[in-house]
Amino acid sequence: MRYGENVLPARRVPSLPIIFLRSLRDPFTAVLASLALVSTLVAAWATASVIAVLVVVSCALRAAGEHRADRSASGLRELVASTATVVRRTADEAVPVSREVPVEEVVPGDVVRLAPGDLVPADLRLLRSTGLTMHQAALTGESAPVPKYPVDEPAPGTTGAAPAEARAHGRDEHGSRQELARTLDDQDFDRPEVCFQGSSVASGSGTGVVIATGADTRFARADRLPGHDRRTTAFDRSVHGISWILIRFMLLTPPLVLMANAALRGRGLETLPFAVAVAVGLTPEMLPVIVTTTLARGAAALARDHRVIIKRLPALHDLGAVDVVCLDKTGTLTQDRPVLECALDTSGTPDDSVLHWAAVNSLWTVRLAELPSADALDEALLDAAEERFAEGLDALEYDAVAALPFDPVRRLSTAVVATPHRLGRHTLVVKGAVEDVLERCRLTDDERAGTAALAGRLAADGLRVLAVALAERPASPRPFTARDERGLTLKGLVGLRDATADTAAAALAGLADRGIEVKVLTGDHPGTAARACRDLGLEPGRVVTAASFDALEDTELGELADSSTVFARCSPAHKARLVRVLRERGHVTGFVGDGVNDLPALRASDVGICPPEAVDVARETADVVLAARDLTSLDHAIAAGRAGGAGIAGYLRITLSSNLGNVIAMLTAGLLLPFLPMLPSQVLVQNLCFDAAQLAFAYERPRAAALRRPLTLRPREVLASVTGFGVINAATDLATFAVLVWAVRDTRAQPAFHAGWFTENLLTQALVMVLLRTGRGGGIPTTAGVLALTGLLLPLTPVGPLIGMAALPQAYYPLLALVLALYAAALHWGTRRARRTDTPQEAPAS
């Protein structure tokens, strides 16, 4: 086929091995792999094996979780349309006939027929239309149907009808098609003669010639917009930020140990295994495993219980850090359908008769014009009439005569019915755009101005306003035409608003309760956006239009974005810029969008989120897919993200505090003792015991307070806390050193020193796990108890002598208990002081 299949460019789901290899790019995982290599070079085989196992387990868990999410997201993929009605010749001399073909077989030059409800299979230019309006919300964010009709003079740079004629006669105009396809840009969505793939027919019918298919459509090209690559996220700035700081310390530790021992003790390369062991001791080896396990468990629970798909595991952490959520209005806060808000007479007083006549127009226009279905506005009026009137739609039954359907040029429709109880008289019922109906009514200038002002107030309040007028005419055998729509009597106005999403109000309230600001970024009218927000309980304040901030510098726009809630008439570039400046001001942003016009903002945000009805390219760009039509599932996802973040933060504080204290103490003791304070094998066994115990943190449940506010790991604050508790831990270790000097009394009794320090290290680590934990459950007290028993009993078992430890004198244990009691009191004091002086780890992140 010359042009290829008319399908969107598919993105392959990466294979498990590819995702596994990508996981190795994580900086901390890479450092662990490097430490394993160094351990191998110094013949520390056990250390190298343990680290290698941790790296493999972490990467495997992460790869499995992300692969499962990718497959779930790809399962949501839908084609834009399944079949299309095209007009083709079966042979060169045959008469063109209509037939259904699979959408992938549509090619440039095909003539396509559109009917209500049809999805547009490709970009096409209209040749003819009857009352055609299109839903383009997925492309532009505009909730109202857009009129489409052919024009005599195509826009500059486009072609005439040649491609259609060429196709009908079996010829191609490849150059013309490509020229036209290249001219389509963001502004072309407003062109009345072009229908775009990804839009759907709201009402009317039309025939058009295909000008672009597959990857050449405007819909597909939106996925290749330049300059909107994803930046570093909150996860990158927090966990990775802490990782890089630790990496620097780990890289400095071995050289410092070697130089200090060489200068003060005259030791050479024989201390290299110990130096590597100290570097490993500083490393929270379980960090990749804990992070991956915690996030993978949260993602699996969300998919199972709330039908939320986390496509990128770090995005779950980022959700917990989000403090600003930007929403596209259409399809997110509102449904793609209007509902009746009011029916008023010319004085602004509620009047059900106005609704009655508006519904009569809708019913008989659809029936007599033989339209396949009513458009969204007519459906809203008919639904309101059925609910409002006791007789339901029976109240609209008249002897119908004729109908003039809606036309996007004259912007009104007319139904003609027999006038009740007046033989030989017909009533014209006209409904349409206010200014067009008023032109055809008998009104004084004051009446016209008053009605226009009333309509303006309703529109400013976010309503879509239609005027309803009547005229009585003598019965006539000639057909009624648009010329009869004159000398009308204005009946009143009807106002319709966007129907809000069922769960949107609850979702917005939930976000507010969690300390998250909401910003509405929409391509819709300012009044419509403000009205939707008020209906959902979100105070819009002063609505900012895109035109008003185009000339602002980023700094000024950032201040405006911080203080405003609703931004209207936004193009895709405007949305992306707003998200970017919010991030530059320190906010962690999430963006919820469902259309092609939302792609740049989805990419610019920390977390891109889309609902299940989002277009294909939006679902593939997003990090999180809400697979259920329930916006409150976003609240569950944020809670899960905060739970995961709290668990990771607790693990880092506890582990790094303990590790830092141990390293400081070992380095100090190593310089004071004539022998190494712990053998590399003992350091390895100690790390293995602590690492195994730390797995409990992946199953810890956070306290309710941790879920109330956005949670961001700030490297500086985490390390400040770690340093404080690490110093306490180091002081405890050195106090234990003094106790050992007194209890053992013989500094040549290396096995006793090693056993005493090994026992104290595991006991202090058990205390840290219990006293510094921030959550509940997870079996942490039990795990800490097992860790403490291991520290007490292992030196007394046959394993002790194998790794260079011996039994301790009984006098050591009471003194150790005293040291541990003082250590527990210091931890308790430090924890209470931290809670009083430290603010919660709330976004925005610095």
Side-chain angles (χ1 to χ4, degrees):
M1 185 179 289
R2 179 174 181 179
Y3 302 109
E5 289 190 334
N6 178 35
V7 294
L8 293 176
R11 292 181 178 174
R12 291 184 178 180
V13 176
S15 64
L16 269 173
I18 294 298
I19 301 178
F20 181 89
L21 292 175
R22 288 177 183 172
S23 301
L24 292 172
R25 295 183 302 185
D26 176 90
F28 205 82
T29 303
V31 168
L32 285 179
S34 300
L35 286 175
L37 179 61
V38 173
S39 299
T40 302
L41 294 176
V42 299
W45 306 111
T47 301
S49 299
V50 170
I51 295 176
V53 168
L54 293 176
V55 169
V56 170
V57 169
S58 170
C59 292
L61 287 172
R62 182 168 181 173
E66 294 193 4
H67 183 67
R68 184 166 52 247
D70 281 339
R71 292 183 61 184
S72 299
S74 64
L76 293 173
R77 188 176 179 87
E78 302 167 357
L79 285 176
V80 179
S82 57
T83 62
T85 303
V86 301
V87 180
R88 287 181 178 173
R89 295 180 187 275
T90 57
D92 288 346
E93 302 302 325
V95 176
V97 294
S98 295
R99 56 175 174 167
E100 292 283 322
V101 300
V103 69
E104 59 266 22
E105 295 181 9
V106 173
V107 297
D110 265 334
V111 175
V112 176
R113 288 181 174 172
L114 300 174
D118 283 353
L119 297 171
V120 179
D123 290 349
L124 52 91
R125 189 180 67 248
L126 288 173
L127 302 174
R128 64 188 68 89
S129 68
T130 302
L132 182 64
T133 62
M134 307 293 297
H135 285 302
Q136 291 190 163
L139 302 172
T140 65
E142 176 65 60
S143 58
V146 178
K148 294 287 184 178
Y149 48 87
V151 296
D152 294 332
E153 293 293 333
T158 67
T159 63
E165 299 299 326
R167 179 68 189 170
H169 291 87
R171 301 191 307 271
D172 285 321
E173 294 286 343
H174 182 57
S176 297
R177 178 191 69 82
Q178 283 193 323
E179 181 185 356
L180 178 55
R182 281 195 299 266
T183 64
L184 299 180
D185 54 27
D186 288 343
Q187 286 69 40
D188 287 312
F189 288 131
D190 295 329
R191 283 170 47 183
E193 80 277 14
V194 181
C195 296
F196 294 92
Q197 185 185 49
S199 58
S200 61
V201 180
S203 64
S205 60
T207 301
V209 58
V210 174
I211 57 175
T213 59
D216 293 329
T217 63
R218 185 65 186 81
F219 182 77
R221 284 161 49 207
D223 195 32
R224 305 194 297 271
L225 291 175
H228 296 294
D229 295 333
R230 185 177 298 283
R231 300 192 192 182
T232 55
T233 64
F235 184 83
D236 301 323
R237 297 191 298 272
S238 56
V239 175
H240 285 179
I242 293 171
S243 296
W244 279 114
I245 294 173
L246 291 175
I247 286 167
R248 295 186 185 100
F249 278 110
M250 284 187 291
L251 293 176
L252 288 173
T253 298
L256 288 176
V257 172
L258 288 173
M259 288 187 293
N261 277 275
L264 299 178
R265 289 291 177 181
R267 299 166 185 159
L269 290 178
E270 68 270 15
T271 60
L272 181 58
F274 175 71
V276 173
V278 171
V280 172
L282 180 63
T283 308
E285 304 100 315
M286 293 296 290
L287 178 61
V289 176
I290 295 293
V291 169
T292 304
T293 303
T294 301
L295 298 180
R297 288 185 69 248
L302 284 172
R304 181 183 64 249
D305 301 333
H306 304 291
R307 300 189 64 199
V308 176
I309 297 173
I310 306 295
K311 295 174 56 185
R312 185 177 59 87
L313 282 183
L316 183 58
H317 167 274
D318 295 340
L319 274 173
V322 162
D323 69 316
V324 174
V325 169
C326 301
L327 301 164
D328 177 43
K329 179 186 73 68
T330 306
T332 304
L333 299 180
T334 62
Q335 304 175 45
D336 288 332
R337 65 180 184 88
V339 293
L340 181 74
E341 176 66 18
C342 62
L344 310 174
D345 64 16
T346 55
S347 66
T349 304
D351 186 346
D352 281 350
S353 68
V354 178
L355 170 61
H356 170 88
W357 288 113
V360 167
N361 172 281
S362 297
L363 178 66
W364 292 109
T365 300
V366 173
R367 288 187 180 178
L368 294 182
E370 298 182 352
L371 299 177
S373 62
D375 72 4
L377 296 176
D378 288 331
E379 285 182 352
L381 292 170
L382 292 173
D383 289 344
E386 187 172 18
E387 181 180 336
R388 185 79 55 90
F389 303 127
E391 305 91 336
L393 294 183
D394 290 341
L396 310 180
E397 291 296 333
Y398 286 84
D399 291 330
V401 176
L404 300 175
F406 176 84
D407 182 280
V409 176
R410 73 184 215 285
R411 302 202 303 168
L412 48 81
S413 62
T414 299
V416 183
V417 299
T419 306
H421 313 301
R422 299 197 63 183
L423 191 62
R425 306 290 290 180
H426 291 161
T427 299
L428 277 69
V429 186
V430 179
K431 169 174 60 65
V434 174
E435 54 269 33
D436 294 277
V437 173
L438 291 182
E439 281 181 6
R440 294 163 170 81
C441 290
R442 293 192 299 257
L443 296 170
T444 66
D445 290 343
D446 289 343
E447 290 171 334
R448 193 181 307 277
T451 303
L454 174 61
R457 290 194 296 273
L458 295 175
D461 197 32
L463 298 182
R464 205 170 302 160
V465 186
L466 300 174
V468 181
L470 305 177
E472 194 172 305
R473 300 280 189 268
S476 171
R478 68 172 180 81
F480 283 91
T481 67
R483 289 190 297 272
D484 294 302
E485 297 168 337
R486 299 289 175 184
L488 308 177
T489 300
L490 184 64
K491 187 67 178 173
L493 305 174
V494 291
L496 302 102
R497 61 174 173 83
D498 287 339
T500 56
D502 295 336
T503 59
L508 292 178
L511 292 174
D513 289 342
R514 295 198 184 278
I516 295 176
E517 290 184 69
V518 173
K519 311 287 184 184
V520 178
L521 318 182
T522 179
D524 222 333
H525 186 278
T528 304
R531 177 57 186 254
C533 291
R534 284 194 294 270
D535 289 344
L536 293 169
L538 178 66
E539 179 52 48
R542 184 178 72 87
V543 179
V544 180
T545 60
S548 67
F549 65 74
D550 266 335
L552 296 181
E553 297 292 335
D554 284 354
T555 303
E556 298 171 306
L557 179 58
E559 295 174 356
L560 180 64
D562 251 343
S563 60
S564 304
T565 300
V566 181
F567 299 83
R569 295 300 190 198
C570 292
S571 69
H574 289 129
K575 293 181 181 181
R577 187 185 176 204
L578 285 165
V579 171
R580 177 174 58 79
V581 297
L582 284 168
R583 294 182 75 229
E584 289 173 353
R585 288 180 66 82
H587 293 288
V588 180
T589 60
F591 184 86
V592 185
D594 64 346
V596 174
N597 61 316
D598 298 319
L599 292 181
L602 286 169
R603 292 190 178 109
S605 62
D606 287 284
V607 190
I609 308 161
C610 72
E613 297 79 13
V615 298
D616 256 1
V617 287
R619 283 202 302 268
E620 296 197 9
T621 299
D623 303 304
V624 179
V625 179
L626 309 178
R629 192 181 178 86
D630 183 356
L631 202 56
T632 56
S633 59
L634 177 59
D635 181 70
H636 296 300
I638 288 172
R642 292 182 183 178
I648 294 170
Y651 161 78
L652 281 171
R653 286 190 174 87
I654 291 170
T655 302
L656 292 178
S657 298
S658 179
N659 289 0
L660 180 61
N662 288 342
V663 167
I664 293 173
M666 278 197 292
L667 290 176
T668 304
L671 298 176
L672 297 176
L673 291 174
F675 53 84
L676 294 178
M678 289 185 75
L679 300 178
S681 59
Q682 295 163 357
V683 175
L684 174 63
V685 172
Q686 174 186 284
N687 288 346
L688 280 175
C689 293
F690 195 28
D691 289 346
Q694 288 166 349
L695 280 173
F697 288 110
Y699 300 87
E700 187 182 31
R701 298 190 308 274
R703 299 183 187 277
L707 305 181
R708 293 183 190 138
R709 311 298 298 176
L711 187 147
T712 296
L713 293 173
R714 299 188 185 97
R716 290 183 180 178
E717 294 185 7
V718 170
L719 292 176
S721 172
V722 164
T723 301
F725 286 111
V727 169
I728 294 174
N729 186 277
T732 303
D733 286 346
L734 293 175
T736 303
F737 169 71
V739 169
L740 282 169
V741 169
W742 179 86
V744 176
R745 299 181 189 278
D746 183 1
T747 57
R748 292 173 296 176
Q750 296 182 27
F753 263 88
H754 293 159
W757 212 330
F758 179 89
T759 297
E760 185 267 348
N761 277 339
L762 289 190
L763 290 175
T764 54
Q765 287 169 344
L767 281 174
V768 166
M769 288 180 64
V770 173
L771 296 179
L772 294 190
R773 67 177 180 143
T774 57
R776 299 170 296 171
I780 287 180
T782 302
T783 303
V786 172
L787 182 65
L789 284 175
T790 302
L792 289 169
L793 300 179
L794 187 64
L796 306 178
T797 67
V799 177
L802 293 177
I803 58 175
M805 293 190 293
L808 288 157
Q810 296 298 318
Y812 170 70
Y813 292 103
L815 294 174
L816 176 62
L818 176 61
V819 170
L820 292 177
L822 293 174
Y823 177 58
L827 287 180
H828 181 68
W829 171 81
T831 302
R832 292 188 60 182
R833 185 173 181 275
R835 288 174 180 170
R836 286 198 308 268
T837 60
D838 290 352
T839 57
Q841 301 296 307
E842 298 174 9
S846 58

